[in-house]
Amino acid sequence: MSGATLAAATAATFTTTVVNFTTGSGSQVVPAGANFVDIELVGPGGGGGKQGAGNAGGGGGGGYCKKTAAVSGGQTFSYAVGSVGVGRTATNGVGTAGTACTVTSAAPVVSLTANGGGGGTSNGAATTGGTASGGDTNTTGGVNSSDLGGSGAAPLGAAGGATGPTVGGSPGGGGGGGSSGPNGGDGGPGLIRFTFRAA
């Protein structure tokens, strides 16, 4: 069998495989027969702030990045899914930011980061959407609109939560702000997606 024929046969027999992670960290091994991978990350949403007598700010949405790389079976990627931002409870104040999702590899050379959204404020002011780096595409997450959490960055990011304690959508939506009494909502979880394909 010629090299071209063998390559065509391998491509014909490999089924596209999608692997998603929404928590934790570890290693992802490239399956035999895969020639390319699309890696997509969405950072977790930020937690909403709290204000007992006025508007609180929703959390920011997580950033998004995507990279396509040529791969060979047996190569390994290290990944870590960040933690969601926690909505403010008990006393007036800000929510916490979501922490970054990352994917790294020495071969192929990959270093991807999708940062979590910023924590919501206690006065309804704008917070920050998570940034992203290392991808062929890098998109910043959405900013809150008063107590409505920011959306996770397109195309995978979900909508932010409404007035607290509504949790942000999955993946990457900012938690709702706790205006006039309620607690702030937690951010939506992050996402790391590997799509292995033959061509």
Side-chain angles (χ1 to χ4, degrees):
M1 181 179 292
S2 70
T5 303
L6 177 60
T10 300
T13 57
F14 183 79
T15 301
T16 297
T17 302
V18 179
V19 183
N20 292 322
F21 297 100
T22 56
T23 60
S25 61
S27 298
Q28 175 61 48
V29 178
V30 177
N35 296 318
F36 297 94
V37 64
D38 302 313
I39 310 170
E40 296 175 279
L41 290 71
V42 181
K50 177 181 173 71
Q51 176 53 254
N55 284 339
Y64 168 85
C65 65
K66 178 180 180 179
K67 186 173 181 66
T68 298
V71 293
S72 299
Q75 291 177 322
T76 301
F77 294 92
S78 296
Y79 71 88
V81 181
S83 300
V84 302
V86 177
R88 183 77 176 193
T89 60
T91 60
N92 296 342
V94 300
T96 65
T99 60
C101 291
T102 61
V103 173
T104 58
S105 173
V109 177
V110 169
S111 181
L112 304 176
T113 300
N115 288 301
T121 65
S122 61
N123 61 5
T127 187
T128 55
T131 57
S133 61
D136 303 319
T137 300
N138 303 290
T139 307
T140 299
V143 176
N144 63 301
S145 176
S146 189
D147 55 9
L148 176 64
S151 296
L156 295 182
T163 300
T166 308
V167 174
S170 177
S179 295
S180 301
N183 293 329
D186 292 345
L191 171 69
I192 295 176
R193 173 176 292 172
F194 295 90
T195 301
F196 296 103
R197 54 190 174 86

Coordinates of all heavy atoms in Angstrom, one line a residue, residues 102-187:
T102 N -6.3 26.6 31.3 CA -5.0 26.6 30.5 C -4.8 25.2 29.9 O -5.3 24.2 30.4 CB -3.8 26.8 31.4 OG1 -3.7 25.8 32.4 CG2 -3.9 28.2 32.1
V103 N -4.2 25.2 28.7 CA -3.7 24.0 28.0 C -2.3 24.3 27.5 O -2.0 25.3 26.9 CB -4.6 23.6 26.8 CG1 -4.0 22.5 26.0 CG2 -6.0 23.3 27.3
T104 N -1.4 23.3 27.8 CA 0.0 23.4 27.4 C 0.5 22.1 26.8 O 0.0 21.0 27.2 CB 0.9 23.9 28.5 OG1 0.9 22.9 29.6 CG2 0.6 25.2 29.1
S105 N 1.5 22.2 25.9 CA 2.1 21.1 25.4 C 3.5 21.5 24.8 O 3.6 22.6 24.3 CB 1.3 20.5 24.2 OG 1.9 19.4 23.6
A106 N 4.5 20.6 24.9 CA 5.8 20.8 24.3 C 5.8 20.4 22.9 O 6.6 21.0 22.1 CB 6.9 20.0 25.1
A107 N 5.1 19.4 22.5 CA 5.1 18.9 21.1 C 3.7 18.3 20.8 O 3.3 17.3 21.4 CB 6.1 17.8 20.9
P108 N 2.9 19.1 20.0 CA 3.2 20.4 19.4 C 3.3 21.5 20.5 O 2.8 21.3 21.6 CB 2.0 20.6 18.5 CG 0.8 19.9 19.2 CD 1.5 18.7 19.8
V109 N 3.9 22.6 20.1 CA 4.1 23.7 21.0 C 2.8 24.4 21.2 O 2.3 25.0 20.2 CB 5.2 24.7 20.6 CG1 5.3 25.8 21.5 CG2 6.5 23.9 20.5
V110 N 2.2 24.4 22.3 CA 0.9 25.0 22.6 C 0.9 25.6 24.0 O 1.4 25.0 25.0 CB -0.3 24.0 22.6 CG1 -1.6 24.5 23.1 CG2 -0.5 23.5 21.1
S111 N 0.4 26.8 24.1 CA 0.3 27.5 25.4 C -0.9 28.4 25.4 O -0.8 29.5 24.9 CB 1.6 28.3 25.8 OG 1.4 28.9 27.1
L112 N -2.0 27.9 25.9 CA -3.3 28.6 25.8 C -3.8 29.0 27.1 O -3.7 28.2 28.1 CB -4.3 27.7 25.1 CG -4.0 27.1 23.7 CD1 -5.1 26.2 23.3 CD2 -3.8 28.2 22.7
T113 N -4.4 30.2 27.2 CA -5.0 30.7 28.4 C -6.3 31.4 28.1 O -6.4 32.3 27.3 CB -4.1 31.7 29.2 OG1 -2.9 31.0 29.5 CG2 -4.7 32.2 30.5
A114 N -7.4 31.0 28.8 CA -8.7 31.7 28.8 C -9.0 32.2 30.2 O -9.3 31.3 31.1 CB -9.8 30.9 28.2
N115 N -8.8 33.4 30.5 CA -9.0 34.0 31.8 C -10.5 34.0 32.2 O -11.4 34.2 31.4 CB -8.3 35.3 32.0 CG -6.8 35.2 32.0 OD1 -6.2 34.6 32.8 ND2 -6.2 35.9 31.0
G116 N -10.7 33.9 33.5 CA -12.0 34.1 34.1 C -12.5 35.5 34.1 O -11.7 36.5 34.0
G117 N -13.8 35.7 34.2 CA -14.4 37.1 34.2 C -14.1 37.7 35.6 O -13.9 37.0 36.6
G118 N -14.1 39.0 35.6 CA -13.9 39.8 36.9 C -15.1 39.7 37.8 O -16.2 39.4 37.4
G119 N -14.8 39.9 39.1 CA -15.8 39.9 40.1 C -16.7 41.1 40.0 O -16.3 42.2 39.7
G120 N -18.0 40.9 40.2 CA -19.0 42.0 40.2 C -18.8 43.0 41.3 O -18.3 42.6 42.4
T121 N -19.2 44.2 41.1 CA -19.0 45.3 42.0 C -20.1 45.4 43.0 O -21.2 44.8 42.8 CB -18.8 46.6 41.3 OG1 -20.0 46.9 40.6 CG2 -17.7 46.5 40.3
S122 N -20.0 46.3 44.0 CA -21.1 46.5 45.0 C -21.9 47.7 44.6 O -22.8 48.1 45.4 CB -20.5 46.7 46.4 OG -19.6 47.8 46.4
N123 N -21.6 48.3 43.5 CA -22.3 49.6 43.1 C -22.9 49.5 41.7 O -23.3 50.6 41.2 CB -21.4 50.8 43.3 CG -20.2 50.7 42.4 OD1 -20.0 49.8 41.6 ND2 -19.3 51.7 42.6
G124 N -22.9 48.4 41.0 CA -23.4 48.3 39.7 C -22.5 48.7 38.6 O -22.8 48.6 37.4
A125 N -21.3 49.1 38.9 CA -20.3 49.6 37.9 C -19.8 48.4 37.1 O -19.9 47.2 37.5 CB -19.1 50.3 38.6
A126 N -19.2 48.7 35.9 CA -18.7 47.6 35.0 C -17.5 46.9 35.6 O -16.7 47.6 36.3 CB -18.4 48.2 33.7
T127 N -17.5 45.6 35.4 CA -16.3 44.9 35.8 C -15.6 44.5 34.5 O -16.0 45.0 33.4 CB -16.6 43.6 36.6 OG1 -15.5 43.0 37.1 CG2 -17.5 42.7 35.9
T128 N -14.7 43.6 34.5 CA -14.0 43.2 33.3 C -14.3 41.8 32.8 O -14.6 40.9 33.6 CB -12.4 43.2 33.5 OG1 -12.1 42.4 34.6 CG2 -12.0 44.6 33.8
G129 N -14.4 41.6 31.5 CA -14.5 40.3 30.9 C -13.1 39.6 30.9 O -12.1 40.3 30.8
G130 N -13.1 38.3 30.9 CA -11.8 37.6 30.9 C -11.1 37.7 29.5 O -11.8 37.7 28.5
T131 N -9.8 37.9 29.5 CA -9.0 37.9 28.3 C -8.6 36.5 27.9 O -8.8 35.6 28.7 CB -7.8 38.8 28.4 OG1 -7.0 38.4 29.5 CG2 -8.3 40.3 28.7
A132 N -8.0 36.4 26.7 CA -7.5 35.1 26.3 C -6.2 35.3 25.5 O -6.0 36.3 24.9 CB -8.5 34.3 25.5
S133 N -5.3 34.2 25.5 CA -4.1 34.4 24.7 C -3.6 33.0 24.2 O -4.0 32.0 24.8 CB -3.0 35.0 25.6 OG -2.7 34.2 26.8
G134 N -2.8 33.0 23.2 CA -2.1 31.9 22.7 C -2.8 31.2 21.6 O -2.3 30.3 20.9
G135 N -4.1 31.5 21.3 CA -4.8 30.9 20.3 C -4.7 31.5 18.9 O -4.2 32.6 18.7
D136 N -5.2 30.8 17.9 CA -5.4 31.4 16.6 C -6.5 32.5 16.6 O -6.5 33.5 15.9 CB -5.8 30.4 15.5 CG -4.7 29.2 15.5 OD1 -3.5 29.6 15.5 OD2 -5.1 28.1 15.4
T137 N -7.4 32.2 17.6 CA -8.5 33.2 17.9 C -8.5 33.4 19.4 O -8.4 32.5 20.2 CB -9.9 32.6 17.5 OG1 -9.9 32.4 16.1 CG2 -11.0 33.6 17.8
N138 N -8.5 34.7 19.8 CA -8.6 35.1 21.2 C -9.6 36.2 21.4 O -9.5 37.2 20.8 CB -7.2 35.6 21.7 CG -6.1 34.6 21.5 OD1 -6.0 33.6 22.1 ND2 -5.2 34.9 20.5
T139 N -10.6 35.9 22.2 CA -11.7 36.8 22.4 C -12.0 37.1 23.9 O -12.0 36.2 24.7 CB -13.0 36.2 21.7 OG1 -12.7 35.9 20.4 CG2 -14.2 37.3 21.7
T140 N -12.2 38.4 24.2 CA -12.5 38.8 25.6 C -14.0 38.6 25.9 O -14.9 38.8 25.1 CB -12.1 40.3 25.7 OG1 -10.7 40.4 25.5 CG2 -12.4 40.7 27.2
G141 N -14.2 38.1 27.1 CA -15.6 37.9 27.6 C -16.4 39.2 27.8 O -15.8 40.3 27.8
G142 N -17.7 39.0 27.9 CA -18.6 40.2 28.0 C -18.5 40.9 29.4 O -18.2 40.3 30.4
V143 N -18.8 42.2 29.3 CA -18.9 43.0 30.5 C -20.4 43.0 31.0 O -21.3 42.9 30.3 CB -18.5 44.4 30.2 CG1 -18.6 45.3 31.4 CG2 -17.0 44.4 29.7
N144 N -20.5 43.1 32.4 CA -21.9 43.1 32.9 C -22.6 44.3 32.5 O -22.0 45.4 32.2 CB -21.8 43.1 34.5 CG -21.1 44.3 35.0 OD1 -19.9 44.5 34.7 ND2 -21.7 45.0 35.9
S145 N -23.9 44.2 32.6 CA -24.8 45.4 32.4 C -25.6 45.6 33.7 O -26.6 44.9 34.0 CB -25.8 45.2 31.2 OG -26.7 46.2 31.1
S146 N -25.1 46.5 34.6 CA -25.6 46.6 35.9 C -25.5 45.3 36.6 O -24.5 44.6 36.7 CB -27.0 47.2 35.9 OG -27.4 47.6 37.2
D147 N -26.7 44.7 37.1 CA -26.7 43.5 37.8 C -26.8 42.2 37.0 O -26.8 41.1 37.5 CB -27.8 43.5 38.9 CG -29.2 43.7 38.4 OD1 -29.4 43.8 37.2 OD2 -30.1 43.9 39.2
L148 N -26.8 42.4 35.6 CA -26.9 41.3 34.7 C -25.4 40.9 34.4 O -24.6 41.7 34.0 CB -27.6 41.6 33.4 CG -27.6 40.6 32.3 CD1 -28.4 39.4 32.7 CD2 -28.2 41.2 31.0
G149 N -25.1 39.6 34.7 CA -23.7 39.1 34.4 C -23.3 39.2 33.0 O -24.2 39.1 32.1
G150 N -22.1 39.4 32.7 CA -21.6 39.4 31.3 C -21.6 38.0 30.7 O -21.5 37.0 31.4
S151 N -21.7 37.9 29.4 CA -21.7 36.6 28.7 C -20.3 36.1 28.5 O -19.4 36.9 28.3 CB -22.4 36.8 27.3 OG -23.8 37.1 27.4
G152 N -20.2 34.8 28.5 CA -18.9 34.2 28.1 C -18.7 34.5 26.7 O -19.6 34.6 25.9
A153 N -17.4 34.6 26.3 CA -17.1 35.0 24.9 C -17.6 34.0 23.9 O -17.5 32.8 24.1 CB -15.6 35.2 24.8
A154 N -18.1 34.5 22.7 CA -18.5 33.7 21.6 C -17.3 33.0 21.0 O -16.2 33.4 21.1 CB -19.2 34.6 20.6
P155 N -17.6 31.8 20.3 CA -18.9 31.3 20.0 C -19.5 30.3 21.0 O -20.6 29.9 20.9 CB -18.6 30.5 18.7 CG -17.2 30.1 18.9 CD -16.5 31.1 19.6
L156 N -18.7 29.9 22.1 CA -19.2 28.9 23.0 C -19.7 29.4 24.3 O -20.5 28.8 25.0 CB -18.0 27.9 23.4 CG -17.4 27.1 22.2 CD1 -16.3 26.1 22.8 CD2 -18.5 26.2 21.6
G157 N -19.4 30.7 24.6 CA -19.8 31.2 25.9 C -21.3 31.4 26.1 O -22.0 31.7 25.1
A158 N -21.8 31.2 27.3 CA -23.2 31.3 27.6 C -23.5 32.7 28.2 O -22.6 33.4 28.6 CB -23.6 30.2 28.6
A159 N -24.8 32.9 28.4 CA -25.3 34.2 28.9 C -25.0 34.3 30.4 O -24.9 33.3 31.1 CB -26.8 34.3 28.7
G160 N -24.8 35.6 30.8 CA -24.7 35.8 32.3 C -26.0 35.6 33.0 O -27.1 35.6 32.4
G161 N -25.8 35.5 34.4 CA -27.0 35.4 35.2 C -27.7 36.7 35.4 O -27.1 37.8 35.3
A162 N -29.0 36.6 35.6 CA -29.8 37.8 35.9 C -29.6 38.2 37.4 O -28.7 37.7 38.0 CB -31.3 37.5 35.7
T163 N -30.4 39.1 37.9 CA -30.3 39.5 39.3 C -30.0 38.4 40.2 O -30.7 37.3 40.2 CB -31.5 40.3 39.7 OG1 -31.7 41.4 38.9 CG2 -31.4 40.8 41.2
G164 N -29.0 38.5 41.1 CA -28.6 37.5 42.1 C -29.8 36.9 42.8 O -30.8 37.6 43.0
P165 N -29.6 35.7 43.3 CA -28.4 34.8 43.2 C -28.3 33.9 42.0 O -27.9 32.8 42.1 CB -28.5 34.0 44.5 CG -30.0 33.8 44.6 CD -30.7 35.1 44.1
T166 N -28.7 34.4 40.8 CA -28.7 33.6 39.6 C -27.3 33.3 39.1 O -26.5 34.2 39.0 CB -29.5 34.3 38.4 OG1 -30.8 34.7 38.9 CG2 -29.6 33.3 37.3
V167 N -27.0 32.0 39.0 CA -25.7 31.5 38.5 C -25.6 31.8 37.0 O -26.5 31.7 36.2 CB -25.6 30.0 38.8 CG1 -24.3 29.5 38.2 CG2 -25.6 29.7 40.3
G168 N -24.3 32.2 36.6 CA -24.1 32.4 35.2 C -24.2 31.1 34.4 O -24.0 30.0 34.9
G169 N -24.6 31.3 33.1 CA -24.7 30.1 32.2 C -23.4 29.4 32.0 O -22.3 30.0 32.2
S170 N -23.5 28.1 31.6 CA -22.3 27.3 31.3 C -22.1 27.1 29.8 O -23.1 26.7 29.1 CB -22.5 25.9 32.0 OG -21.5 25.1 31.7
P171 N -20.9 27.5 29.3 CA -19.7 27.9 30.1 C -19.6 29.4 30.1 O -19.9 30.1 29.2 CB -18.6 27.2 29.3 CG -19.1 27.3 27.8 CD -20.6 27.1 27.9
G172 N -18.9 29.9 31.2 CA -18.3 31.2 31.2 C -19.2 32.4 31.5 O -18.7 33.5 31.5
G173 N -20.5 32.2 31.8 CA -21.3 33.4 32.1 C -21.1 33.9 33.4 O -20.9 33.2 34.4
G174 N -21.1 35.3 33.6 CA -20.9 35.9 34.9 C -22.1 35.7 35.7 O -23.3 35.7 35.3
G175 N -21.9 35.6 37.0 CA -23.0 35.5 38.0 C -23.8 36.8 38.1 O -23.2 37.9 37.9
G176 N -25.1 36.7 38.4 CA -25.9 37.9 38.6 C -25.5 38.7 39.8 O -25.2 38.1 40.9
G177 N -25.7 40.0 39.8 CA -25.4 40.8 41.0 C -26.6 40.8 41.9 O -27.7 40.8 41.5
G178 N -26.3 40.9 43.2 CA -27.3 40.8 44.3 C -27.8 42.2 44.6 O -27.2 42.8 45.6
S179 N -28.7 42.8 43.8 CA -29.2 44.1 44.1 C -30.3 44.2 45.1 O -31.2 43.3 45.1 CB -29.7 44.7 42.7 OG -28.6 44.9 41.8
S180 N -30.2 45.1 46.0 CA -31.3 45.4 47.0 C -31.5 44.1 47.9 O -32.7 43.8 48.2 CB -32.6 45.8 46.3 OG -32.4 47.0 45.6
G181 N -30.5 43.5 48.2 CA -30.6 42.4 49.2 C -30.1 41.0 48.9 O -29.4 40.4 49.7
P182 N -30.4 40.4 47.8 CA -30.0 39.1 47.5 C -28.5 38.9 47.4 O -27.8 39.9 47.2 CB -30.7 38.7 46.2 CG -31.7 39.7 46.0 CD -31.3 40.9 46.7
N183 N -28.0 37.7 47.6 CA -26.6 37.4 47.4 C -26.3 37.5 45.9 O -27.1 37.3 45.1 CB -26.2 36.0 48.0 CG -26.4 35.9 49.5 OD1 -26.1 36.9 50.2 ND2 -26.7 34.7 49.9
G184 N -25.0 37.7 45.6 CA -24.5 37.6 44.3 C -24.5 36.2 43.8 O -24.3 35.2 44.6
G185 N -24.7 35.9 42.5 CA -24.7 34.6 41.9 C -23.3 34.2 41.6 O -22.4 35.0 41.2
D186 N -23.0 32.9 41.7 CA -21.7 32.4 41.2 C -21.6 32.4 39.7 O -22.6 32.4 39.0 CB -21.5 30.9 41.7 CG -21.3 30.8 43.2 OD1 -21.1 31.8 43.9 OD2 -21.5 29.6 43.6
G187 N -20.3 32.5 39.2 CA -20.1 32.4 37.8 C -20.3 31.0 37.2 O -20.3 30.0 37.9

